[in-house]
Amino acid sequence: HGRCDVKEIVGYPLPPQIAKKKSELCLKFNLKSITKPIFSFVLFYDYYTLSRISSELSEYHRVAFIARELESMQIDENSFDDVVYFDTIEELYELLDKLNSKIIFTKALIGHYKKVADLVQRYVNVVVDSTDIPQFFSDNKKERELFFDGESEFIAIEEICKNAKKFLVRYSEEELKTLKSFSSKDNILTWYEYTNKVHYSNYKRELKEPYSLVWAGILQPLSYPKKFIGRYLLESAKIVSNQNMRFTFMLPPSFSTSMLMVKSDRDLYYEFFYEAKLNENIDIHFGDIPQKAIKLLEKYHFGVFPLIQEKDRKFYRNIIPSKFALYLEAGLPIIVNDCMIKLSSVVKEYNLGIVVSN
């Protein structure tokens, strides 16, 4: 459903592997070798779906994982040739200068666009993946300023458009016109996260009542405006539970720290906990890295998206979230609202599940 050949991203020919040798760089950054990585993943925060990408790449190419050290970072370190954590941006730049990778791959998220913009201005070979810039398309200037820290992150996205080797987004050509207007290069692509056969589940599930539905992903606090999905997800869970079906929120491992240990964060999700405690058909479960998450998803009957949505939520009409690939890898039929026009059309075309209306 829009899979793009890796050749389109990295360009060919790929440089040959060079002989491994120890160096001061290896000692300083605890690298296994100075072999030139073809791909270096640079992360400023947790990226739950990284393992799906890295495990496929590492089968063919040398891959390094470089990240700011976070307790919440959940990765399978065996998917990488080298795993390095940095403390400061200066240390990151020193490492990247010496590694001289063919491709630097990074993920951009609200709150981090400025760091990514600095990265693409410094290096010409940065591929940026971004999934959460719907507010970028808002015509409401005050709303943009609210979500993008004044206008600084909005400006940072423009810089990424101008300077990134490739900018991968989950939107259709219609929305891409806005982003492409900032760039003189043909570097902005619609990029939907694809499935990886390595992770496919062979589990043969039996569809029988009571049905069990799962949402695998993050939750947004109910204090957010209604257009965000947190409120719609909770309402979806209540509707499902009232029809004697089970609804489980399977959350990334990083959520367990804030939601369970930090009271101020826990209070933001209080209504979710309230329902999970008092409603026997609603449950909250903390997941694992993608390879293990597939196993956890096998016990459910359907993977769901919000079953209730605003008809005019234009931000999400053409997006296909990464969890769609996760559901498919787990062999889960999909239940999706027809407000998600692009995703629901794929589900209909390939008979992947059920499309519902409000």
Side-chain angles (χ1 to χ4, degrees):
H1 62 277
R3 176 169 181 168
C4 186
D5 197 308
V6 170
K7 292 179 183 178
E8 186 174 343
I9 300 300
V10 302
Y12 271 61
L14 291 169
Q17 296 280 2
I18 61 175
K20 293 183 178 181
K21 61 181 180 179
K22 297 296 179 182
S23 70
E24 292 181 5
L25 182 65
C26 298
L27 295 174
K28 176 172 181 178
F29 292 106
N30 195 30
L31 296 176
K32 296 174 186 174
S33 77
I34 192 59
T35 304
K36 180 179 178 181
I38 294 175
F39 291 90
S40 285
F41 287 90
V42 175
L43 297 184
F44 299 101
Y45 59 93
D46 200 1
Y47 181 16
Y48 187 60
T49 56
L50 175 64
S51 295
R52 178 182 295 116
I53 303 167
S54 61
S55 59
E56 182 167 317
L57 290 175
S58 60
E59 186 176 343
Y60 307 101
H61 314 300
R62 183 166 183 79
V63 180
F65 173 78
I66 305 165
R68 190 181 294 280
E69 189 155 17
L70 299 170
E71 288 184 15
S72 63
M73 192 71 73
Q74 299 284 330
I75 64 158
D76 178 6
E77 295 193 355
N78 294 323
S79 295
F80 305 91
D81 293 286
D82 288 305
V83 177
V84 187
Y85 295 100
F86 63 89
D87 291 320
T88 66
I89 296 297
E90 291 72 25
E91 192 173 62
L92 169 64
Y93 290 159
E94 180 186 359
L95 176 61
L96 290 176
D97 289 344
K98 292 180 178 178
L99 284 179
N100 192 27
S101 304
K102 172 74 175 179
I103 292 292
I104 298 171
F105 184 98
T106 191
K107 178 80 182 286
L109 187 74
I110 289 178
H112 299 274
Y113 281 106
K114 182 64 169 64
K115 299 186 189 77
V116 174
D118 292 342
L119 196 67
V120 299
Q121 288 178 312
R122 186 180 179 98
Y123 302 100
V124 298
N125 58 340
V126 180
V127 174
V128 180
D129 179 31
S130 179
T131 59
D132 76 330
I133 53 172
Q135 288 76 25
F136 186 91
F137 301 109
S138 172
D139 296 326
N140 189 320
K141 185 174 184 293
K142 290 183 177 179
E143 184 179 57
R144 287 207 313 267
E145 290 176 349
L146 174 64
F147 289 112
F148 288 92
D149 188 23
E151 288 274 282
S152 62
E153 292 222 307
F154 190 85
I155 294 170
I157 290 176
E158 294 182 16
E159 292 301 316
I160 294 170
C161 292
K162 292 175 186 175
N163 298 302
K165 179 180 177 69
K166 298 290 182 184
F167 191 19
L168 315 178
V169 295
R170 311 293 206 268
Y171 296 94
S172 67
E173 286 298 321
E174 181 183 348
E175 284 113 342
L176 287 187
K177 289 179 182 178
T178 304
L179 297 175
K180 288 181 176 180
S181 67
F182 299 117
S183 176
S184 59
K185 303 182 292 183
D186 185 23
N187 64 333
I188 302 173
L189 302 174
T190 298
W191 176 271
Y192 298 124
E193 196 166 315
Y194 55 85
T195 59
N196 187 340
K197 289 183 179 179
V198 174
H199 302 155
Y200 282 5
S201 168
N202 294 316
Y203 180 75
K204 303 298 183 184
R205 67 176 43 79
E206 184 180 352
L207 278 178
K208 61 180 182 179
E209 297 184 7
Y211 297 126
S212 184
L213 284 62
V214 62
W215 160 268
I218 65 170
L219 290 177
Q220 291 163 338
L222 299 180
S223 57
Y224 278 25
K226 192 174 182 180
K227 68 169 59 179
F228 289 86
I229 62 174
R231 176 64 60 186
Y232 293 118
L233 277 172
L234 186 59
E235 292 304 312
S236 300
K238 289 179 180 179
I239 290 173
V240 166
S241 68
N242 288 337
Q243 298 182 50
N244 198 32
M245 292 184 281
R246 293 192 60 81
F247 194 107
T248 298
F249 297 100
M250 182 181 287
L251 310 178
S254 56
F255 257 58
S256 63
T257 301
S258 61
M259 285 185 69
L260 297 178
M261 306 301 292
V262 182
K263 186 180 185 305
S264 58
D265 287 356
R266 192 168 67 246
D267 288 348
L268 294 174
Y269 300 93
Y270 186 82
E271 194 170 344
F272 287 102
F273 286 114
Y274 179 86
E275 289 295 330
K277 187 72 172 177
L278 299 183
N279 189 328
E280 62 181 14
N281 285 329
I282 295 179
D283 189 26
I284 294 177
H285 181 85
F286 293 100
D288 213 318
I289 57 178
Q291 293 95 325
K292 295 181 180 179
I294 297 297
K295 193 71 179 174
L296 294 174
L297 289 171
E298 287 179 348
K299 66 179 181 180
Y300 301 100
H301 295 118
F302 294 93
V304 301
F305 294 87
L307 305 180
I308 306 169
Q309 295 192 30
E310 290 180 20
K311 290 292 185 184
D312 62 349
R313 269 178 102 229
K314 65 176 183 179
F315 298 150
Y316 295 94
R317 285 178 185 171
N318 294 309
I319 193 171
I320 295 185
S322 58
K323 67 176 58 58
F324 179 55
L326 184 67
Y327 290 158
L328 293 182
E329 288 178 353
L332 284 170
I334 312 297
I335 303 181
V336 60
N337 190 293
D338 59 9
C339 291
M340 300 184 75
I341 296 172
K342 179 70 174 179
L343 179 56
S344 62
S345 68
V346 172
V347 170
K348 283 181 180 178
E349 182 177 356
Y350 295 100
N351 195 27
L352 298 175
I354 302 169
V355 176
V356 301
S357 298
N358 286 345

